[in-house]
Amino acid sequence: ALVIDSEHQLQCLLHKKYNMRRPKLADPAALEINKYNPALWAMVGREMTEDAVAELHGMLSLEDMILVGHSISFDVRFLRTLFGEFGLKWKAPPQLDTRALARLAWNLPCLKMDTIRKAQGWGMKGAHSAFKDALDAYRIYRAYINAVQTLPPLQKIDDAKA
């Protein structure tokens, strides 16, 4: 996911990998997509300690921020549950789902991240890693902003009704 400020500036690219707390409760398809391997994740992931959760909570509690991601509602549900388990209250910031932004920018019939990557020629190396997913979500966000900036301005409100 990304943290964008009201000036459209990237403030934070969230891509740290944390060890799963309860992999037995995870969706098997999600585990497969994310190439879950307990031994590998134990080597590269951070423990979900109170300090790590507090750091993440702080990054996601900034004023004047927007959370951007692909299927961002999934991430928000996960974060709300995680913060609750550590006794932290969290008011989710406004969110933009890059699936909608991709539809508006390119009008693709399928909005799966892999389909978007292939259509845009971004490559699949690192696909479904936290960093690659966050980077490609940012690419979608920027493509949408660029598409909007090329639209002609409305002359008056009556033009919008026509």
Side-chain angles (χ1 to χ4, degrees):
L2 316 164
V3 176
I4 304 288
D5 67 21
S6 61
E7 301 295 319
H8 305 285
Q9 297 301 308
L10 177 64
Q11 294 299 312
C12 182
L13 189 68
L14 301 173
H15 63 86
K16 292 180 181 175
K17 185 172 276 200
Y18 291 91
N19 292 332
M20 294 186 73
R21 292 170 53 87
R22 293 182 302 276
K24 291 180 181 176
L25 299 178
D27 180 329
L31 292 175
E32 185 178 334
I33 287 170
N34 288 291
K35 301 172 182 71
Y36 178 67
N37 175 323
L40 180 60
W41 278 45
M43 291 185 332
V44 298
R46 295 175 65 189
E47 286 301 318
M48 197 57 81
T49 63
E50 194 170 328
D51 288 343
V53 173
E55 177 187 7
L56 185 60
H57 183 267
M59 287 189 295
L60 295 176
S61 298
L62 302 172
E63 287 189 33
D64 196 30
M65 67 171 280
I66 300 166
L67 197 55
V68 180
H70 210 68
S71 300
I72 194 66
S73 62
F74 174 84
D75 297 320
V76 169
R77 282 192 310 273
F78 168 81
L79 291 165
R80 188 171 279 123
T81 299
L82 175 69
F83 294 147
E85 289 176 2
F86 281 84
L88 299 170
K89 292 184 180 184
W90 183 59
K91 182 180 179 210
Q95 298 128 45
L96 284 173
D97 193 320
T98 55
R99 290 176 308 158
L101 301 181
R103 171 67 49 85
L104 293 169
W106 300 300
N107 196 27
L108 298 172
C110 178
L111 299 174
K112 291 181 178 179
M113 184 62 93
D114 287 349
T115 303
I116 295 167
R117 286 177 174 130
K118 289 174 185 170
Q120 298 307 311
W122 294 341
M124 298 299 291
K125 185 175 182 180
H128 304 290
S129 69
F131 181 75
K132 173 77 167 152
D133 287 355
L135 177 64
D136 289 345
Y138 184 64
R139 287 173 158 169
I140 294 168
Y141 173 78
R142 291 302 311 168
Y144 170 75
I145 294 299
N146 291 339
V148 167
Q149 289 173 342
T150 63
L151 292 174
L154 287 174
Q155 298 303 314
K156 52 188 169 185
I157 223 49
D158 291 337
D159 292 344
K161 294 178 185 177

